[in-house]
Amino acid sequence: MKRRTFLGLMGATAVGAAAGTGVLATPAEAAHFEGYPDAMGVLFDATRCIGCRKCEAACNQVNDLEQPERPFDDLAVLEEKRRTHAESYTIVNRFQPESSSIPVFLKTQCNHCMEPACASACFVRAFKKNPDGSVTYDADVCVGCRYCMVACPFNVPAYTYDDPITPEVRKCHMCHPHMAAGKRSLPGCVEACPKEALTWGRRDDLLRIARDRMRANPGKYVDGIYGEREMGGTNWLYISGVPFEELGLRTDLGVKPAPEFTKGALAGVAMVVGLWPVLLTGIYGMSKLNAKDARKAQEAAVSAMKAECEADHQAAMKQAQEKAAKDKQAAVEREVKKALEEAQKAAEAEQAPNQDKDGDAS
């Protein structure tokens, strides 16, 4: 079966099942959420970051990630803009803003949205917004659809494409597993920062700290706290001395929470869960039907071949018999002719002496 035909049949099956049930599926986290009251977070101060990459090294060590090809003290990697990936939950990029005479650095990781786009797009609830403010991922329930990667406005989740057996989505989890287990009191990156560019605390307290710094240092910071309201707010906050867009941060997102955008476009995704057995049953039935048809076709082909061989055999036998009959008839005719010729010669030979005797007597 052609791929286009197969997908068409599967789509028709999905639509038919949805119409039959009369139930419209919705995303996992479509309801508006104001945030947990004691949620924690991190404040990043771009005016303090020196681009040392010690936060990258600490994250790598805490999460037992693979070592990069180039060591963390190799600052030449800052020459190119990078993004997070499966073995790097956080990265630091260097920018040269027009409004600054010196480079400015930005640490990038999951922003831990108060209403996460990844969670709203995930129909199996593999992503979870926790009371401590972190957004975590459960690989055990993930089906690998990667809608979370499409939905994330910050382009953060990464996929382990090189793992064909147990692939998974990876991103910063704000060290939630380590702190929940009592192994750490601070996220690894926060603890490792030598310039206190990262501050850990309750989100409400971080907002106050950010405003206090801006009031205490007139002209040092741009007016605004990135993440306070963007996409409904995030638990990772930023303050900077240069406009946020000059640091590669998106300023076109607005303040509307992510589920407001994903619930319409992804509303039908969850029906896959209910239709999965139907789809698998259909695929299995189609494979069994195809196998049955293949056996019938094979049997028909064998029968046709046997009939053809039998016909060829009969024709060959008939031709051989006809040839044998002709050969036999020809042989009989030859023998008869030969016998007649020999008899004729014998008769002539017998008549010759008699003629000689009659001649002598006369």
Side-chain angles (χ1 to χ4, degrees):
M1 180 178 291
K2 294 183 179 179
R3 179 176 179 271
R4 185 184 299 274
T5 305
F6 173 78
L7 293 177
L9 288 173
M10 291 299 97
T13 302
V15 172
T21 58
V23 178
L24 293 178
T26 57
E29 300 290 344
H32 184 63
F33 176 62
E34 296 294 340
Y36 291 105
D38 295 321
M40 304 295 285
V42 177
L43 172 65
F44 172 78
D45 190 336
T47 67
R48 298 185 178 188
C49 181
I50 59 174
C52 64
R53 300 183 64 202
K54 291 188 182 299
C55 56
E56 292 187 35
C59 179
N60 182 280
Q61 181 180 7
V62 169
N63 293 292
D64 295 322
L65 302 176
E66 292 184 5
Q67 291 294 313
E69 294 181 1
R70 301 168 68 174
F72 290 106
D73 57 2
D74 182 0
L75 302 185
V77 299
L78 299 176
E79 298 295 331
E80 298 180 0
K81 185 177 180 180
R82 299 172 296 147
R83 62 148 291 176
T84 58
H85 58 80
E87 296 298 332
S88 296
Y89 295 172
T90 186
I91 53 95
V92 175
N93 280 317
R94 182 173 63 193
F95 297 86
Q96 184 58 63
E98 296 180 359
S99 57
S100 175
S101 60
I102 60 174
V104 180
F105 302 93
L106 178 74
K107 179 183 180 297
T108 301
Q109 69 297 303
C110 174
N111 285 327
H112 300 275
C113 302
M114 292 173 65
E115 294 187 69
C118 54
S120 68
C122 183
F123 58 86
V124 295
R125 299 179 183 269
F127 287 90
K128 179 183 178 181
K129 181 67 175 180
N130 300 297
D132 66 359
S134 63
V135 177
T136 54
Y137 162 80
D138 186 354
D140 291 337
V141 300
C142 178
V143 297
C145 70
R146 287 162 284 173
Y147 283 111
C148 55
M149 298 174 64
V150 177
C152 178
F154 303 107
N155 194 30
V156 169
Y159 195 68
T160 56
Y161 290 100
D162 57 345
D163 186 354
I165 307 301
T166 56
E168 61 185 33
V169 177
R170 290 184 177 180
K171 70 172 194 66
C172 162
H173 41 60
M174 210 156 67
C175 282
H176 169 84
H178 312 302
M179 292 192 289
K183 297 179 181 179
R184 304 194 62 84
S185 58
L186 290 173
C189 59
V190 175
E191 186 175 19
C193 183
K195 295 295 182 179
E196 297 184 353
L198 299 170
T199 303
W200 168 258
R202 292 177 64 252
R203 185 176 186 273
D204 291 341
D205 293 336
L206 296 177
L207 290 172
R208 284 193 289 270
I209 291 173
R211 295 190 182 98
D212 289 343
R213 288 185 188 178
M214 288 187 283
R215 281 194 295 266
N217 300 276
K220 182 178 181 179
Y221 297 94
V222 296
D223 186 17
I225 303 172
Y226 191 90
E228 181 178 12
R229 300 183 64 199
E230 280 75 12
M231 298 299 294
T234 64
N235 285 76
W236 204 283
L237 305 170
Y238 301 80
I239 53 176
S240 170
V242 299
F244 295 120
E245 59 268 22
E246 294 187 15
L247 294 180
L249 290 172
R250 293 187 61 181
T251 56
D252 60 338
L253 298 175
V255 299
K256 185 178 295 186
E260 294 296 321
F261 298 97
T262 58
K263 68 181 180 182
L266 298 171
V269 174
M271 73 169 64
V272 177
V273 177
L275 293 177
W276 199 249
V278 177
L279 295 178
L280 292 179
T281 302
I283 294 171
Y284 176 76
M286 290 170 64
S287 66
K288 296 296 287 184
L289 180 60
N290 290 339
K292 184 178 181 180
D293 291 342
R295 286 196 300 270
K296 288 183 177 180
Q298 184 179 19
E299 292 173 357
V302 172
S303 298
M305 184 175 293
K306 288 175 63 178
E308 184 178 355
C309 291
E310 183 66 21
D312 291 343
H313 175 69
Q314 293 296 332
M317 287 291 293
K318 183 178 180 180
Q319 185 178 5
Q321 289 173 352
E322 291 177 350
K323 185 176 182 301
K326 291 180 179 179
D327 292 342
K328 183 177 180 181
Q329 182 65 28
V332 171
E333 291 177 353
R334 285 195 303 270
E335 291 298 327
V336 170
K337 183 178 179 181
K338 180 179 179 181
L340 291 174
E341 291 177 348
E342 291 178 352
Q344 180 65 29
K345 290 180 179 180
E348 291 177 352
E350 183 178 353
Q351 289 178 358
N354 292 332
Q355 290 177 355
D356 291 341
K357 290 180 180 179
D358 291 342
D360 292 342
S362 61

